[in-house]
Amino acid sequence: MVPRLEELVALRHEAPRMDTPGIGRAGMRGAAPSSLRGRGMEYAESREYVPGDDVRRMDWRLTARTGRAHTKLFQAERERLALLVADTSPALYFGTRVRFKSVQAARAGAVATWAALQAGDRIAALRAGEPAIPPAGGMRGAMRVLEALSRWYARPPADDAGLELALEHAQRLLRPGARLVVLADPQAAAKVPLQRWAALGRHHEATLVLLQDALEIAPPRRALAVASGGQRLHVPLQLAQARAQWHQVLARPAETLAQSLPAYGWRVHRLATDATASGWLRPARPLPPDA
Protein backbone atom coordinates (compact mmCIF):
# COMPACT_ATOMS: atom_id res chain seq x y z
CA MET A 1 0.00 0.00 0.00
CA VAL A 2 1.44 3.36 -1.03
CA PRO A 3 0.21 6.96 -0.74
CA ARG A 4 -1.16 8.43 -3.97
CA LEU A 5 -0.58 12.05 -4.85
CA GLU A 6 -4.24 12.43 -5.82
CA GLU A 7 -5.25 11.30 -2.32
CA LEU A 8 -2.91 13.79 -0.67
CA VAL A 9 -4.27 16.62 -2.81
CA ALA A 10 -7.85 15.65 -1.95
CA LEU A 11 -7.07 15.98 1.78
CA ARG A 12 -7.07 19.73 1.37
CA HIS A 13 -10.63 19.87 2.68
CA GLU A 14 -9.53 18.34 6.00
CA ALA A 15 -7.05 21.11 6.81
CA PRO A 16 -8.23 23.58 9.46
CA ARG A 17 -8.45 27.25 8.67
CA MET A 18 -5.95 29.35 10.56
CA ASP A 19 -5.82 33.09 11.21
CA THR A 20 -3.30 35.06 9.16
CA PRO A 21 -3.40 38.60 10.53
CA GLY A 22 -1.75 41.45 8.75
CA ILE A 23 -1.81 40.15 5.18
CA GLY A 24 -2.61 42.83 2.66
CA ARG A 25 -4.06 42.68 -0.82
CA ALA A 26 -0.69 41.85 -2.33
CA GLY A 27 -0.39 38.83 -0.04
CA MET A 28 2.56 40.19 1.96
CA ARG A 29 2.60 41.56 5.46
CA GLY A 30 3.45 45.22 5.81
CA ALA A 31 7.00 46.31 6.61
CA ALA A 32 6.43 49.60 8.43
CA PRO A 33 8.52 49.64 11.64
CA SER A 34 6.68 49.95 14.94
CA SER A 35 7.86 50.22 18.53
CA LEU A 36 5.11 47.81 19.54
CA ARG A 37 5.56 44.09 19.23
CA GLY A 38 2.64 41.82 18.53
CA ARG A 39 1.87 38.48 16.99
CA GLY A 40 3.64 38.04 13.69
CA MET A 41 6.24 40.74 14.43
CA GLU A 42 10.01 40.46 14.20
CA TYR A 43 12.88 42.73 15.25
CA ALA A 44 13.80 45.33 12.60
CA GLU A 45 16.27 47.79 14.16
CA SER A 46 16.99 49.99 17.17
CA ARG A 47 16.95 53.79 17.37
CA GLU A 48 17.45 56.38 20.09
CA TYR A 49 14.65 56.57 22.61
CA VAL A 50 12.20 59.47 22.29
CA PRO A 51 9.54 60.44 24.83
CA GLY A 52 6.43 58.33 24.36
CA ASP A 53 8.24 55.14 23.30
CA ASP A 54 7.17 51.98 25.10
CA VAL A 55 9.76 51.38 27.83
CA ARG A 56 9.07 47.65 27.62
CA ARG A 57 10.83 47.68 24.23
CA MET A 58 14.06 49.25 25.45
CA ASP A 59 17.21 47.85 23.84
CA TRP A 60 19.17 47.51 27.05
CA ARG A 61 22.29 46.08 25.46
CA LEU A 62 22.65 48.93 22.98
CA THR A 63 21.76 51.42 25.69
CA ALA A 64 24.56 50.09 27.91
CA ARG A 65 27.04 50.00 25.04
CA THR A 66 26.41 53.54 23.79
CA GLY A 67 25.42 55.27 26.99
CA ARG A 68 22.26 56.60 25.27
CA ALA A 69 18.77 55.15 25.62
CA HIS A 70 17.62 53.10 22.60
CA THR A 71 14.35 51.35 21.85
CA LYS A 72 13.68 48.37 19.58
CA LEU A 73 11.55 48.66 16.46
CA PHE A 74 9.57 45.74 15.10
CA GLN A 75 7.99 45.08 11.75
CA ALA A 76 5.48 42.57 10.50
CA GLU A 77 7.36 39.44 9.60
CA ARG A 78 7.33 38.06 6.11
CA GLU A 79 5.90 34.67 5.38
CA ARG A 80 6.55 32.27 8.20
CA LEU A 81 8.40 29.02 7.50
CA ALA A 82 6.58 25.74 8.09
CA LEU A 83 8.94 22.74 8.00
CA LEU A 84 7.80 19.14 7.76
CA VAL A 85 10.32 16.54 8.96
CA ALA A 86 9.60 13.02 7.71
CA ASP A 87 10.92 9.97 9.52
CA THR A 88 11.45 7.22 6.92
CA SER A 89 12.63 4.41 9.21
CA PRO A 90 11.67 0.88 8.05
CA ALA A 91 9.25 0.34 10.94
CA LEU A 92 6.80 2.77 9.35
CA TYR A 93 6.23 0.62 6.26
CA PHE A 94 3.87 -1.72 8.06
CA GLY A 95 0.22 -1.84 9.03
CA THR A 96 -2.59 -4.23 9.94
CA ARG A 97 -5.64 -1.96 9.99
CA VAL A 98 -6.84 0.12 7.00
CA ARG A 99 -3.40 1.36 5.86
CA PHE A 100 0.33 1.28 6.50
CA LYS A 101 1.81 3.67 9.04
CA SER A 102 3.84 5.16 6.18
CA VAL A 103 0.67 5.97 4.23
CA GLN A 104 -0.87 7.57 7.31
CA ALA A 105 2.31 9.61 7.80
CA ALA A 106 1.98 10.95 4.25
CA ARG A 107 -1.69 11.77 4.86
CA ALA A 108 -0.94 13.58 8.12
CA GLY A 109 1.84 15.48 6.38
CA ALA A 110 -0.56 16.49 3.62
CA VAL A 111 -3.00 17.95 6.14
CA ALA A 112 -0.14 19.87 7.78
CA THR A 113 0.91 21.15 4.35
CA TRP A 114 -2.56 22.41 3.48
CA ALA A 115 -2.92 24.05 6.91
CA ALA A 116 0.40 25.85 6.37
CA LEU A 117 -0.74 27.00 2.93
CA GLN A 118 -3.95 28.44 4.35
CA ALA A 119 -1.90 30.25 7.01
CA GLY A 120 0.22 31.90 4.32
CA ASP A 121 3.41 30.08 5.34
CA ARG A 122 6.31 29.14 3.12
CA ILE A 123 6.45 25.34 3.16
CA ALA A 124 9.52 23.08 3.22
CA ALA A 125 10.15 19.42 3.96
CA LEU A 126 13.08 17.14 4.62
CA ARG A 127 14.13 13.64 5.51
CA ALA A 128 17.56 12.30 6.38
CA GLY A 129 19.26 11.02 3.25
CA GLU A 130 18.62 13.67 0.60
CA PRO A 131 18.57 17.48 0.24
CA ALA A 132 15.61 19.30 1.75
CA ILE A 133 12.65 20.43 -0.34
CA PRO A 134 13.35 24.20 -0.29
CA PRO A 135 10.80 26.65 1.14
CA ALA A 136 8.20 28.03 -1.24
CA GLY A 137 4.82 29.63 -0.81
CA GLY A 138 1.47 29.02 -2.46
CA MET A 139 0.42 26.00 -4.47
CA ARG A 140 3.91 25.54 -5.86
CA GLY A 141 5.36 25.01 -2.38
CA ALA A 142 2.49 22.75 -1.31
CA MET A 143 2.68 20.52 -4.38
CA ARG A 144 6.44 20.06 -4.08
CA VAL A 145 6.01 18.84 -0.50
CA LEU A 146 3.09 16.54 -1.39
CA GLU A 147 5.09 15.00 -4.24
CA ALA A 148 7.99 14.39 -1.85
CA LEU A 149 5.69 12.74 0.72
CA SER A 150 4.17 10.44 -1.88
CA ARG A 151 7.67 9.44 -3.00
CA TRP A 152 9.26 9.07 0.44
CA TYR A 153 6.45 6.94 1.82
CA ALA A 154 5.96 4.71 -1.21
CA ARG A 155 8.73 2.37 -0.03
CA PRO A 156 11.55 2.42 2.57
CA PRO A 157 14.36 4.61 1.16
CA ALA A 158 17.64 2.72 0.91
CA ASP A 159 19.54 5.79 2.10
CA ASP A 160 17.55 6.63 5.24
CA ALA A 161 20.01 8.16 7.72
CA GLY A 162 17.74 8.31 10.76
CA LEU A 163 15.40 10.75 12.45
CA GLU A 164 18.06 12.29 14.67
CA LEU A 165 20.07 13.42 11.64
CA ALA A 166 16.91 14.85 10.07
CA LEU A 167 16.19 16.87 13.22
CA GLU A 168 19.78 18.09 13.33
CA HIS A 169 19.33 19.32 9.76
CA ALA A 170 16.04 20.97 10.73
CA GLN A 171 17.68 22.78 13.63
CA ARG A 172 20.18 24.34 11.24
CA LEU A 173 17.48 25.46 8.79
CA LEU A 174 14.93 26.97 11.14
CA ARG A 175 14.70 30.47 12.52
CA PRO A 176 13.03 31.09 15.90
CA GLY A 177 9.24 31.11 15.66
CA ALA A 178 8.94 28.72 12.72
CA ARG A 179 6.34 25.97 12.60
CA LEU A 180 7.77 22.46 12.83
CA VAL A 181 5.82 19.23 12.29
CA VAL A 182 7.64 15.91 12.75
CA LEU A 183 6.11 12.67 11.45
CA ALA A 184 7.73 9.70 13.19
CA ASP A 185 7.62 6.11 14.30
CA PRO A 186 7.62 6.07 18.13
CA GLN A 187 10.66 3.81 18.39
CA ALA A 188 12.69 6.07 16.10
CA ALA A 189 11.57 9.17 18.01
CA ALA A 190 12.47 7.59 21.34
CA LYS A 191 16.09 7.20 20.19
CA VAL A 192 16.51 10.95 19.65
CA PRO A 193 18.29 12.59 22.61
CA LEU A 194 16.07 14.72 24.82
CA GLN A 195 18.43 17.66 24.32
CA ARG A 196 17.55 17.74 20.62
CA TRP A 197 13.81 17.77 21.31
CA ALA A 198 14.26 20.44 23.97
CA ALA A 199 16.29 22.73 21.71
CA LEU A 200 13.70 22.56 18.94
CA GLY A 201 10.70 22.94 21.22
CA ARG A 202 12.24 25.94 22.95
CA HIS A 203 12.45 28.09 19.82
CA HIS A 204 9.70 26.85 17.48
CA GLU A 205 6.02 25.99 17.33
CA ALA A 206 6.72 22.27 17.42
CA THR A 207 4.38 19.31 16.87
CA LEU A 208 5.26 15.62 16.92
CA VAL A 209 2.89 13.15 15.23
CA LEU A 210 3.57 9.54 16.25
CA LEU A 211 2.25 6.88 13.88
CA GLN A 212 0.89 3.72 15.51
CA ASP A 213 -0.78 0.52 14.37
CA ALA A 214 -3.50 -1.24 16.36
CA LEU A 215 -1.40 -4.40 16.63
CA GLU A 216 1.35 -2.45 18.40
CA ILE A 217 -1.06 -0.87 20.88
CA ALA A 218 -3.41 -3.79 21.60
CA PRO A 219 -2.04 -7.17 20.43
CA PRO A 220 -4.24 -10.28 20.60
CA ARG A 221 -4.08 -12.52 23.67
CA ARG A 222 -2.81 -15.51 21.74
CA ALA A 223 0.37 -16.75 20.10
CA LEU A 224 1.29 -14.54 17.17
CA ALA A 225 3.54 -15.42 14.23
CA VAL A 226 5.79 -12.58 13.10
CA ALA A 227 8.53 -12.34 10.48
CA SER A 228 11.85 -10.89 11.65
CA GLY A 229 15.19 -10.93 9.87
CA GLY A 230 14.04 -13.55 7.39
CA GLN A 231 12.81 -15.83 10.18
CA ARG A 232 9.31 -16.65 11.34
CA LEU A 233 8.90 -16.27 15.08
CA HIS A 234 6.02 -17.20 17.36
CA VAL A 235 5.38 -14.71 20.16
CA PRO A 236 3.37 -16.23 23.04
CA LEU A 237 1.17 -13.22 23.70
CA GLN A 238 -1.18 -15.33 25.77
CA LEU A 239 1.49 -15.07 28.49
CA ALA A 240 1.60 -11.97 30.69
CA GLN A 241 5.39 -11.70 30.50
CA ALA A 242 5.39 -11.73 26.69
CA ARG A 243 2.64 -9.12 26.60
CA ALA A 244 4.58 -6.90 29.00
CA GLN A 245 7.68 -7.11 26.81
CA TRP A 246 5.61 -6.36 23.71
CA HIS A 247 4.14 -3.30 25.42
CA GLN A 248 7.56 -2.11 26.56
CA VAL A 249 9.03 -2.25 23.05
CA LEU A 250 6.10 -1.19 20.86
CA ALA A 251 3.70 0.89 22.97
CA ARG A 252 5.76 2.40 25.77
CA PRO A 253 7.91 4.71 23.55
CA ALA A 254 4.86 6.69 22.39
CA GLU A 255 3.49 6.92 25.93
CA THR A 256 6.81 8.18 27.27
CA LEU A 257 7.17 10.82 24.55
CA ALA A 258 3.58 12.01 25.07
CA GLN A 259 4.27 12.41 28.78
CA SER A 260 7.72 14.03 28.63
CA LEU A 261 7.95 16.28 25.57
CA PRO A 262 5.13 18.76 26.37
CA ALA A 263 7.32 20.07 29.20
CA TYR A 264 9.79 21.14 26.50
CA GLY A 265 7.26 22.97 24.34
CA TRP A 266 6.09 20.10 22.10
CA ARG A 267 2.57 19.19 21.15
CA VAL A 268 2.55 15.39 20.91
CA HIS A 269 -0.18 13.46 19.09
CA ARG A 270 -0.57 9.74 18.49
CA LEU A 271 -2.22 8.88 15.19
CA ALA A 272 -3.53 5.39 14.48
CA THR A 273 -3.54 3.93 11.00
CA ASP A 274 -7.35 3.73 10.95
CA ALA A 275 -7.92 7.35 12.09
CA THR A 276 -8.73 10.31 9.86
CA ALA A 277 -5.73 12.14 8.46
CA SER A 278 -6.55 15.21 10.55
CA GLY A 279 -7.10 13.20 13.73
CA TRP A 280 -3.84 14.47 15.19
CA LEU A 281 -5.20 18.03 15.13
CA ARG A 282 -7.77 17.17 17.79
CA PRO A 283 -6.88 17.37 21.50
CA ALA A 284 -4.96 14.30 22.59
CA ARG A 285 -6.87 11.83 24.75
CA PRO A 286 -5.51 10.97 28.20
CA LEU A 287 -3.12 8.03 28.31
CA PRO A 288 -4.77 4.73 29.33
CA PRO A 289 -3.63 3.10 32.57
CA ASP A 290 -0.58 0.86 32.20
CA ALA A 291 -1.39 -2.72 31.36
Side-chain angles (χ1 to χ4, degrees):
M1 181 180 293
V2 300
R4 295 179 296 105
L5 181 59
E6 296 83 356
E7 175 188 11
L8 303 186
V9 171
L11 287 169
R12 185 173 187 175
H13 71 277
E14 290 200 27
R17 292 202 169 274
M18 305 173 68
D19 293 333
T20 54
I23 297 181
R25 294 181 182 177
M28 295 294 291
R29 294 172 175 83
S34 168
S35 61
L36 300 178
R37 184 181 184 186
R39 181 181 176 185
M41 304 295 284
E42 64 179 6
Y43 172 76
E45 60 182 340
S46 294
R47 61 159 169 78
E48 288 197 30
Y49 175 86
V50 296
D53 284 343
D54 188 343
V55 296
R56 294 174 298 175
R57 302 306 172 200
M58 292 292 291
D59 189 335
W60 296 112
R61 290 185 179 180
L62 187 57
T63 297
R65 189 165 66 246
T66 63
R68 299 187 305 275
H70 282 75
T71 188
K72 294 180 179 179
L73 298 182
F74 296 88
Q75 68 182 22
E77 66 183 10
R78 296 187 183 276
E79 294 169 302
R80 189 182 194 183
L81 174 62
L83 177 63
L84 201 64
V85 175
D87 173 27
T88 52
S89 58
L92 281 171
Y93 300 81
F94 158 83
T96 63
R97 186 172 297 178
V98 181
R99 58 183 65 91
F100 281 7
K101 292 194 292 182
S102 53
V103 174
Q104 189 70 316
R107 287 162 50 84
V111 171
T113 299
W114 291 123
L117 176 68
Q118 291 180 3
D121 295 346
R122 291 179 300 122
I123 310 164
L126 66 84
R127 72 171 186 88
E130 68 177 70
I133 306 302
M139 283 297 296
R140 182 170 68 99
M143 290 305 300
R144 289 201 305 198
V145 170
L146 296 184
E147 288 168 356
L149 290 171
S150 64
R151 174 168 53 85
W152 292 342
Y153 286 120
R155 62 188 59 83
D159 58 351
D160 174 65
L163 179 60
E164 183 178 357
L165 185 61
L167 293 176
E168 179 183 335
H169 189 186
Q171 197 168 350
R172 294 197 303 267
L173 290 178
L174 292 172
R175 293 178 57 191
R179 300 184 204 271
L180 172 63
V181 176
V182 179
L183 311 167
D185 179 80
Q187 294 185 68
K191 294 176 182 177
V192 176
L194 182 59
Q195 295 88 335
R196 180 76 64 192
W197 293 117
L200 288 164
R202 187 180 306 119
H203 298 295
H204 311 296
E205 184 181 306
T207 300
L208 173 62
V209 182
L210 298 170
L211 288 307
Q212 293 185 285
D213 183 77
L215 183 66
E216 298 170 329
I217 304 169
R221 294 179 178 272
R222 57 177 173 79
L224 184 68
V226 297
S228 176
Q231 296 182 326
R232 191 172 180 83
L233 306 176
H234 290 270
V235 183
L237 289 172
Q238 73 275 21
L239 304 179
Q241 183 178 0
R243 291 181 64 82
Q245 291 176 339
W246 181 281
H247 180 87
Q248 185 67 26
V249 173
L250 296 176
R252 176 64 69 183
E255 295 172 357
T256 300
L257 290 164
Q259 290 169 342
S260 61
L261 291 190
Y264 298 93
W266 282 84
R267 297 182 180 93
V268 181
H269 303 273
R270 291 175 289 172
L271 185 63
T273 56
D274 57 350
T276 61
S278 59
W280 61 277
L281 294 169
R282 303 190 183 99
R285 290 178 295 180
L287 290 172
D290 291 344

